[in-house]
Amino acid sequence: MERNVDKIKRLEHELGRWRKKVADTAKENEKLREALAQADVGNQETQALVDAVLTAVVLEHGEQAMDPDAPETALGWRLAVPFFSVKEMREKYEIHARRSEDGKYILGVMERRSDL
């Protein structure tokens, strides 16, 4: 039979281990929150980049969109793009980008080679 003093010591030891685990878990959760916040910022930056590239492409190659109810009123610009599968595009093509000396972005698309 376990004495009360021994039982109290054992339970205090278990409580200390539990407190350490809670503290360690709290530290890990804080690291994960920071990583998630950093990933969220990166995601927002990527979305801003994609929006900017698409905007530049539509402004350069699109057509002016007119209000059908008031044909003299321009609504902005538009560019029709055929439906595509993101997965298939990523699997079949690769894209490269560089900046030219005159400040333009040069985008190049080529089929992925399977022999490499």
Side-chain angles (χ1 to χ4, degrees):
M1 176 118 170
E2 186 176 25
R3 298 181 324 169
N4 284 342
V5 172
D6 295 333
K7 186 175 183 178
I8 290 171
K9 285 182 182 180
R10 181 178 54 79
L11 292 173
E12 285 176 344
H13 178 72
E14 286 181 28
L15 182 60
R17 289 180 47 187
W18 179 82
R19 285 181 178 154
K20 182 180 181 325
K21 179 167 177 37
V22 168
D24 292 346
T25 301
K27 287 178 188 175
E28 181 66 21
N29 284 344
E30 184 57 32
K31 287 180 185 177
L32 291 172
R33 279 189 202 93
E34 290 172 6
L36 178 61
Q38 185 177 6
D40 187 47
V41 168
N43 181 50
Q44 290 175 12
E45 290 174 356
T46 301
Q47 185 61 51
L49 173 65
V50 169
D51 288 349
V53 168
L54 289 173
T55 300
V57 168
V58 171
L59 290 175
E60 181 70 20
H61 300 286
E63 61 185 28
Q64 208 166 22
M66 305 304 284
D67 186 346
D69 296 329
E72 67 282 350
T73 306
L75 297 175
W77 296 88
R78 70 176 176 199
L79 177 68
V81 177
F83 179 78
F84 60 90
S85 164
V86 174
K87 182 178 184 278
E88 287 177 20
M89 287 288 192
R90 296 285 296 150
E91 289 173 352
K92 189 172 182 180
Y93 300 100
E94 59 184 62
I95 185 166
H96 301 273
R98 67 178 173 85
R99 191 166 181 181
S100 67
E101 293 173 3
D102 61 352
K104 291 185 178 182
Y105 289 102
I106 309 298
L107 303 175
V109 175
M110 60 187 286
E111 286 195 42
R112 290 189 186 273
R113 295 189 341 197
S114 60
D115 59 334
L116 297 179

